[in-house]
Amino acid sequence: MQALRRPYLWHAIYTKSRAEKRLYKELCSKNIECYLPLKKELRQWSDRTKWVEEPLIRSYLFVKVSEREYYNVINSAYAVGYVTFGGKAVPIPEHQIQALRIFLDDENRKVDLSHENLEKGELVEIMGGPFKGIKGEIMQIKGKDRIVIRFDSLGTCVYTDISLDKIKQVQPVA
């Protein structure tokens, strides 16, 4: 008889304020797969300037867990709880986590985050460059080279510079 395999799904977790990196380290030490998107910022102090890595999405950490690890994750002193809708933790599709990783892996690309409640636009697929194959919803077009792409499951928008001739409209799945 074959053992029942539990599916591993990505979920977002609320963390205590400024505890994202501590929760990330704790969960990694427990061999729980997690992802903490970071961005580099140049910070100015009175005596020096320094590049620091800050969480892209404050108070959020992403974990890939099965039902077995589900409750172990929120038993940390740094975790507040899962991001839920209707009382249930919402799984985030693997391709959206991968798309976020690709955006952040390109060190030459400036990435900002928006939580604005923007109107829905066209569904597009990026046709060239390091983001080839990524689909998302265009939220804004700023000139010829700057777009905002929304990933529904994350509840955020990613701003990036990309030529509009590198995207094509795709039909939404009915």
Side-chain angles (χ1 to χ4, degrees):
M1 184 171 170
Q2 189 178 19
L4 180 64
R5 289 184 53 118
R6 293 181 174 99
Y8 280 78
L9 302 171
W10 284 102
H11 296 279
I13 293 203
Y14 288 120
T15 70
K16 289 191 174 179
S17 179
R18 305 190 62 75
E20 302 92 349
K21 290 180 182 180
R22 287 178 281 184
L23 180 59
Y24 176 80
K25 286 178 184 176
E26 180 182 320
L27 295 177
C28 286
S29 73
K30 294 179 180 179
N31 294 322
I32 293 174
E33 185 176 356
C34 38
Y35 175 52
L36 177 59
L38 298 170
K39 65 178 179 177
K40 288 187 178 181
E41 292 181 347
L42 189 59
R43 290 285 172 94
Q44 176 72 46
W45 284 271
S46 60
D47 61 337
R48 69 189 186 287
T49 303
K50 182 179 177 183
W51 283 99
V52 295
E53 284 189 324
E54 291 291 325
L56 178 67
I57 307 170
R58 287 262 173 226
S59 297
Y60 275 77
L61 177 72
F62 301 100
V63 294
K64 190 173 186 180
V65 294
S66 70
E67 291 175 14
R68 187 179 341 151
E69 297 94 356
Y70 184 86
Y71 292 103
N72 293 338
V73 169
I74 56 173
N75 286 334
S76 166
Y78 306 116
V80 175
Y82 284 96
V83 175
T84 62
F85 291 103
K88 295 186 83 176
V90 178
I92 298 170
E94 177 84 30
H95 72 275
Q96 289 189 354
I97 296 293
Q98 291 304 324
L100 189 56
R101 286 182 199 250
I102 290 169
F103 275 106
L104 293 174
D105 284 347
D106 186 354
E107 293 181 7
N108 296 322
R109 186 172 302 275
K110 182 176 178 359
V111 177
D112 296 316
L113 193 69
S114 168
H115 292 280
E116 295 176 32
N117 187 11
L118 303 171
E119 292 183 29
K120 291 184 179 182
E122 297 177 352
L123 186 63
V124 297
E125 179 177 354
I126 298 174
M127 302 307 297
F131 309 115
K132 183 176 181 178
I134 295 175
K135 294 179 184 174
E137 182 179 352
I138 289 189
M139 300 306 298
Q140 286 181 317
I141 299 174
K142 297 181 174 187
K144 296 179 183 174
D145 296 321
R146 193 152 171 85
I147 64 172
V148 180
I149 298 179
R150 182 175 81 178
F151 299 103
D152 286 329
S153 295
L154 298 180
T156 63
C157 298
V158 175
Y159 290 77
T160 187
D161 295 313
I162 189 168
S163 177
L164 297 180
D165 63 359
K166 297 266 191 234
I167 61 173
K168 75 169 187 175
Q169 183 177 7
V170 294
Q171 297 300 318
V173 178

